[in-house]
Amino acid sequence: MNTRKLVYLLTTTLIIGALAGAIVGIVLDPSTYFSGGIGNFFFGVLWMLGISAAISLIAQMGHFAYLIFHRLALGVFKSIRLWNKIQVVLIVFVFFDLIYFRYIAFASEDETIFGYMMMPILLMLYCILVAYRKRQETNKEAFVPALFFMFVITIIEWIPALRLETVNDSKWLWIYLAPLLASNTWQLLTMHRLTGVPNHSKVATPKRAD
């Protein structure tokens, strides 16, 4: 990847993350933006774009950190299959923790753990779809690393929001999550196009000699 492609990836990721956060923020809390006139709307959107762009930068750092971590892990375990099995275990562990620890930290006496399962399940389903798309566009061994990046790394980047008691409100959790998901999805599905990684998932059919 040359400098031009790198700048393209960083710039587009920043824009997509900022727009995603702003759109979700307006959709989930329209009264804040439309109740105070055009000036309130303009500065409200500008503020949300800035916050979302900052969150997008976190996603970019997480992406490049995982690329380095992934290469180091492959060097240690010497096998993509073994490393993939370890990543699957970590995915399950993080999925369980996302449900259980949020329930322990924020649940009131009248709440059950089932109410804290919806968000992790929806997030996991989305990440599986993105990872499957990555597998289709590259190769079958890319599914687990893509799922690990989309789910585990996104959760790690999401931790500052999860740790704040004031944002246990699902609205703000989604506002924080939207730029992360949009940025990570774009980075994951764009990286192989910029680096020219070939698609080995399809076996070429030999031509019949006439």
Side-chain angles (χ1 to χ4, degrees):
M1 178 183 289
N2 56 36
T3 303
R4 181 178 61 83
K5 292 180 178 180
L6 179 60
V7 171
Y8 170 80
L9 179 62
L10 297 177
T11 304
T12 53
T13 301
L14 185 69
I15 294 172
I16 289 172
L19 290 175
I23 292 171
V24 170
I26 294 172
V27 170
L28 294 181
D29 191 19
S31 61
T32 300
Y33 300 91
F34 295 103
S35 60
I38 187 65
N40 179 74
F41 177 81
F42 175 79
F43 287 108
V45 171
L46 189 63
W47 176 79
M48 185 57 69
L49 285 171
I51 294 296
S52 300
I55 297 173
S56 176
L57 290 175
I58 296 174
Q60 293 184 42
M61 290 187 289
H63 178 236
F64 286 101
Y66 175 70
L67 291 178
I68 296 173
F69 176 70
H70 181 66
R71 287 300 173 186
L72 291 175
L74 289 176
V76 171
F77 297 109
K78 308 296 183 182
S79 169
I80 182 64
R81 293 186 177 181
L82 176 58
W83 171 226
N84 280 350
K85 291 178 181 179
I86 294 173
Q87 289 184 99
V88 169
V89 173
L90 293 174
I91 291 169
V92 174
F93 180 77
V94 171
F95 179 77
F96 172 80
D97 284 353
L98 183 59
I99 298 172
Y100 182 73
F101 285 116
R102 284 192 64 238
Y103 171 72
I104 293 298
F106 300 111
S108 58
E109 294 182 357
D110 59 337
E111 288 182 312
T112 66
I113 195 171
F114 295 102
Y116 287 81
M117 294 176 64
M118 183 59 66
M119 182 179 290
I121 290 174
L122 291 176
L123 178 58
M124 176 61 77
L125 291 175
Y126 175 81
C127 294
I128 289 174
L129 290 175
V130 175
Y132 182 73
R133 178 65 179 272
K134 179 74 172 184
R135 179 186 185 275
Q136 286 185 312
E137 295 187 4
T138 54
N139 57 76
K140 64 180 182 179
E141 298 295 345
F143 179 81
V144 173
L147 182 58
F148 183 91
F149 170 72
M150 284 301 303
F151 188 76
V152 176
I153 301 301
T154 299
I155 296 302
I156 292 175
E157 295 164 349
W158 200 25
I159 285 178
L162 293 172
R163 292 182 62 184
L164 294 176
E165 186 174 359
T166 55
V167 298
N168 189 43
D169 177 18
S170 60
K171 175 186 70 177
W172 282 103
L173 288 176
W174 285 117
I175 290 174
Y176 274 83
L177 182 60
L180 295 176
L181 278 183
S183 298
N184 286 339
T185 300
W186 174 254
Q187 291 178 113
L188 185 70
L189 298 181
T190 303
M191 191 70 174
H192 60 273
R193 298 188 179 99
L194 296 178
T195 57
V197 175
N199 186 347
H200 300 299
S201 61
K202 298 179 181 179
V203 179
T205 302
K207 296 181 178 180
R208 185 177 63 183
D210 294 330

